[in-house]
Amino acid sequence: MTAAIGLAALPAAATAGGKLIGTGGATQIEGAAGGGIVPWAMLGGYGTEGENGATAFFSSVDTGDYRLDAVGAGFVWNNRVEVSFARQDLDTGSLSAAFPALIAPDARIGQDIFGAKLRLLGDTVYGRWPQVALGIQHKRNRDFDIPSAVGARDDSGTDVYLSVGRLLLAGLAGRNVYLNGTIRSTRANELGLLGFGGPDNDGRELVAEASAAIFLDRRTAIGVEYRQKPDNLAFADESDWSDVFVAWFPSKNLSLSAAWTDLGSIATLDDQRGLYLSVEAAF
């Protein structure tokens, strides 16, 4: 899963009235500006102070046993507040065969995610302080039958996270490097697709998320992400997620991302690895 930010030759990348190319990042799978699996401190779009920005995205990851599609949009006001919406749709695939008494062969799991992010201080590129942002993601299952059957307590929940990010100019071998760390408070099972809370833990848990990217040129970045996840359900262990990604920004209005993802074990099915693809339009 993926993302990226502005690059080498930063002064040449600047345009009047807007951010540097790439500094809106990509859109992560829950709808916030960031990487593929981790929200970043940056805000989406290319509006600076006094301007507005908007994004729309589609992402898909296929492990063979599962396929998760996500589509959504975001709006940023005054480079200060980001609001977003994402709709996720999970094809249960092989899970239906593993639990035929619980899950119909054509069953799908979906949820809607309403997000908001506030830039508290700092800037991704300039100034003394890194950019710091506070975000929330309110998640609602569209169908609670399967999450309830596997032990989830609730069909909705709200994640709260704090992200810190900074672009280090000429940070490694003369190339720009972006670093981001996120702390999240959550009760979500598999991002919320399997509901919230469970018999093993029904309270909130603090989990850590991290991303690092190096920019090969002004429009191309490669990097890694890691996301801790809680383990609330008794019927199966929940794994942390990671990915290795590449992101390309052919223009300010378009970003394309691809990643090899390692999602571990999901609902008793092990070795969930596969290709993630994402496209984002930014304005």
Side-chain angles (χ1 to χ4, degrees):
M1 309 182 170
T2 53
I5 311 161
L7 302 294
L10 280 170
T15 60
K19 296 179 183 177
L20 305 174
I21 189 169
T23 54
T27 301
Q28 59 110 202
I29 206 162
E30 293 157 300
I37 58 175
V38 177
W40 292 358
M42 65 177 59
L43 305 184
Y46 284 92
T48 57
E49 290 190 19
E51 300 175 333
N52 301 321
T55 59
F57 84 101
F58 172 78
S59 297
S60 182
V61 58
D62 192 335
T63 67
D65 290 319
Y66 301 98
R67 174 172 171 166
L68 176 62
D69 295 331
V71 62
F75 177 79
V76 177
W77 172 79
N78 197 36
N79 195 30
R80 179 64 63 178
V81 177
E82 173 187 284
V83 293
S84 61
F85 171 78
R87 170 159 286 192
Q88 296 179 336
D89 189 51
L90 176 68
D91 184 339
T92 58
S94 300
L95 193 62
S96 303
F99 298 94
L102 293 176
I103 304 173
D106 58 350
R108 301 180 73 87
I109 301 173
Q111 74 169 340
D112 293 334
I113 303 174
F114 303 87
K117 188 192 299 185
L118 172 66
R119 180 171 64 88
L120 298 176
L121 60 90
D123 186 83
T124 299
V125 181
Y126 303 112
R128 182 175 181 180
W129 302 104
Q131 186 152 315
V132 180
L134 178 66
I136 62 171
Q137 292 173 337
H138 180 68
K139 306 175 179 182
R140 291 182 176 273
N141 295 149
R142 298 200 305 276
D143 187 334
F144 191 53
D145 289 347
I146 295 174
S148 177
V150 299
R153 301 298 194 202
D154 299 303
D155 66 356
S156 64
T158 302
D159 291 0
V160 180
Y161 63 90
L162 184 72
S163 293
V164 180
R166 185 69 164 187
L167 183 69
L168 306 177
L169 305 182
L172 180 65
R175 301 185 184 277
N176 298 334
V177 174
Y178 182 73
L179 301 176
N180 191 92
T182 297
I183 296 292
R184 180 187 299 261
S185 171
T186 184
R187 295 175 62 239
N189 307 318
E190 300 296 355
L191 305 188
L193 290 161
L194 291 183
F196 303 83
D200 283 359
N201 179 28
D202 197 33
R204 286 188 168 274
E205 187 171 340
L206 286 178
V207 292
E209 306 169 15
S211 304
I214 182 169
F215 298 93
L216 305 181
D217 57 38
R218 197 166 62 87
R219 299 181 185 273
T220 309
I222 59 173
V224 296
E225 296 184 291
Y226 182 82
R227 177 167 177 166
Q228 287 186 327
K229 293 160 72 246
D231 196 7
N232 302 325
L233 299 175
F235 90 107
D237 293 331
E238 183 165 347
S239 300
D240 296 345
W241 286 4
S242 61
D243 68 61
V244 178
F245 68 80
V246 57
W248 180 48
F249 299 89
S251 74
K252 279 194 170 185
N253 300 117
L254 181 67
S255 68
L256 304 171
S257 304
W260 181 253
T261 64
D262 185 348
L263 309 183
S265 177
I266 299 178
T268 75
L269 301 182
D270 296 331
D271 301 321
Q272 297 305 306
R273 301 182 182 93
L275 182 64
Y276 167 93
L277 298 171
S278 182
V279 57
E280 179 197 82
F283 310 94

